[in-house]
Amino acid sequence: MGPAHHSLHWNLTLDPMLDIENPAALRDYLRRTGRIGPATELTARVLPGGVSCKTVLVRLPDGTTWVLKQALAKLRVRTDWYSDPARIHREAAALRALAALAPAGTTAEFIFEDMTEHVLAMTAIPEPHDNWKTKLLARGPEHDHAHQFGRLLGTIHRRAVENAKVLQAEFGDATFFDQLRLDAYYRHVAASVPETTTFYASLIDETFRHRATLVHGDFSPKNMLVAGGRLVLLDHEVVHWGDPAFDLGFALTHLLAKARHLPVHRATLARAAQQFWTAYQGEVGDRFAGLAPRAVRHTLGCLLARVEGRSPLEYLTPAGRAALRTEVLALLPAPPISLDDLIQAISRPSP
């Protein structure tokens, strides 16, 4: 079984005093902490898109560029959604671990963390680069990105198994994953859609019974930059030792939701989903027993959560959300066994 579900247990009035989105305050903070010289100037630009952190690009006079992140206690979504800002230190630990687990050049480099202000600094990904989600929505899949997507996840999962003892000890606490994924996605939907209660209770239970590798927990096109033709992975705050099926379901959710949303690219996005799964299998082989049926259930669970949960997919129209909801609810009583069958079911043309 997983960790008990608790209400907020930290004091929201103790949020960090530093606001990294204030350029003067950020400059003074970096000087005061010795990260830059006492007379060093900098330019800072707030980066868009994050709901759980403040994120700022910092450029120093010598051309050095950092990305600084500061975790928010209250996430930037329409509903009240809270999580302990100390999760930024899980991201820092994950960034250090991924340096050895992910293929070379597919993650940023760790620079420093501040345990009091809940700040993480990492190297900035060199420009030019694009967000993969943005590219998919604009033009559909291109090049071998879907293959890279699967190979990247498979490599992390495979290499983590080979270093299980150390990683399980460091990342065994799944509290942030529980808060930001299982609670905000699965429990939230189970509470609002009563016919899903049994499905989600079983899914949550099996998630904690199959803890086999390092799980990213936020593996999606939104968290991929395309730089020099290569995918670079971002946002590691819910990394934990857990069930690889969650990462597969979470990733496939985004490819299949876009296939539903973009009829002109539906066939190519369905193929991209299959390429992702094939590339992943090529890395992990048969290491994880019963993986595909669990990944099917996580895909269905995440798809419904991105319609009904606290963080709905913003690009889906009301009609698109309703149709996807109906499709998923129809599959829940007897989900497909294989991911290929699920991909075909979700991405088939609308009647």
Side-chain angles (χ1 to χ4, degrees):
M1 293 294 292
H5 177 48
H6 300 294
S7 60
L8 291 178
H9 59 276
W10 69 94
N11 187 343
L12 294 179
T13 64
L14 298 180
D15 280 351
M17 295 299 293
L18 171 68
D19 177 6
I20 67 169
E21 292 181 342
N22 180 319
L26 178 58
R27 179 201 61 206
D28 293 345
Y29 162 75
L30 292 173
R31 288 176 176 176
R32 184 177 71 252
T33 56
R35 307 296 180 185
I36 63 175
T40 301
E41 294 294 339
L42 57 83
T43 58
R45 174 167 59 89
V46 175
L47 298 177
V51 301
S52 67
C53 293
K54 296 178 179 180
T55 308
V56 178
L57 177 69
V58 171
R59 189 177 303 276
L60 302 179
D62 64 0
T64 298
T65 52
W66 296 338
V67 169
L68 271 64
K69 295 182 67 174
Q70 185 177 41
L72 297 167
K74 185 180 187 300
L75 279 65
R76 292 166 167 168
V77 294
R78 289 194 298 270
T79 60
D80 287 343
W81 186 1
Y82 299 92
S83 182
D84 189 341
R87 68 188 182 276
I88 197 74
H89 309 297
R90 171 56 60 95
E91 177 160 11
L95 200 59
R96 293 188 292 266
L98 288 169
L101 299 176
T106 59
T107 60
E109 295 179 21
F110 172 82
I111 301 296
F112 70 83
E113 65 182 311
D114 185 318
M115 306 298 287
T116 300
E117 299 289 357
H118 301 313
V119 170
L120 163 65
M122 67 193 85
T123 56
I125 306 305
E127 295 182 344
H129 58 249
D130 297 295
N131 181 272
W132 192 34
K133 172 187 173 181
T134 302
K135 289 173 69 69
L136 284 172
L137 288 171
R139 294 189 291 276
E142 298 175 315
H143 310 297
D144 68 338
H145 294 157
H147 178 86
Q148 289 186 44
F149 196 44
R151 180 174 174 266
L152 173 53
L153 183 62
T155 301
I156 292 169
H157 286 179
R158 173 177 56 79
R159 289 179 176 173
V161 171
E162 296 163 0
N163 197 25
K165 185 175 182 180
V166 171
L167 293 171
Q168 190 170 9
E170 184 169 10
F171 295 97
D173 184 346
T175 298
F176 298 131
F177 171 72
D178 192 58
Q179 290 175 346
L180 294 175
R181 292 294 173 266
L182 299 184
D183 193 53
Y185 286 57
Y186 292 178
R187 293 190 190 98
H188 183 88
V189 179
S192 61
V193 186
E195 61 265 43
T196 69
T197 300
T198 300
F199 171 81
Y200 278 114
S202 176
L203 187 58
I204 291 169
D205 180 65
E206 74 177 11
T207 300
F208 285 111
R209 285 190 288 107
H210 293 87
R211 305 187 71 181
T213 191
L214 195 72
V215 172
H216 187 266
D218 204 5
F219 199 82
S220 78
K222 173 182 71 69
N223 291 329
M224 297 284 170
L225 295 180
V226 182
R230 172 178 291 184
L231 296 186
V232 182
L233 176 61
L234 309 173
D235 291 352
H236 319 296
E237 64 187 18
V238 292
V239 169
H240 64 287
W241 192 261
D243 186 356
F246 181 86
D247 273 345
L248 286 169
F250 195 84
L252 285 166
T253 287
H254 291 276
L255 294 175
L256 294 177
K258 290 172 180 62
R260 296 287 297 230
H261 177 63
L262 300 168
V264 69
H265 297 304
R266 183 166 294 173
T268 56
L269 280 160
R271 283 197 296 272
Q274 291 169 327
Q275 290 164 0
F276 162 74
W277 170 231
T278 299
Y280 176 87
Q281 287 178 294
E283 288 294 332
V284 304
D286 58 359
R287 282 174 173 79
F288 307 118
L291 179 63
R294 295 200 314 279
V296 166
R297 292 190 287 275
H298 277 294
T299 305
L300 290 171
C302 287
L303 278 167
L304 190 56
R306 298 317 297 262
V307 173
E308 296 282 347
R310 286 183 175 150
S311 181
L313 293 170
E314 82 290 347
Y315 54 80
L316 292 178
T317 64
R321 288 196 295 272
L324 185 55
R325 182 185 193 274
T326 299
E327 184 80 27
V328 171
L329 288 175
L331 291 171
L332 287 190
I337 298 299
S338 76
L339 281 168
D340 289 339
D341 286 346
L342 177 67
I343 291 167
Q344 183 177 1
I346 297 295
S347 60
R348 63 180 170 227
S350 302

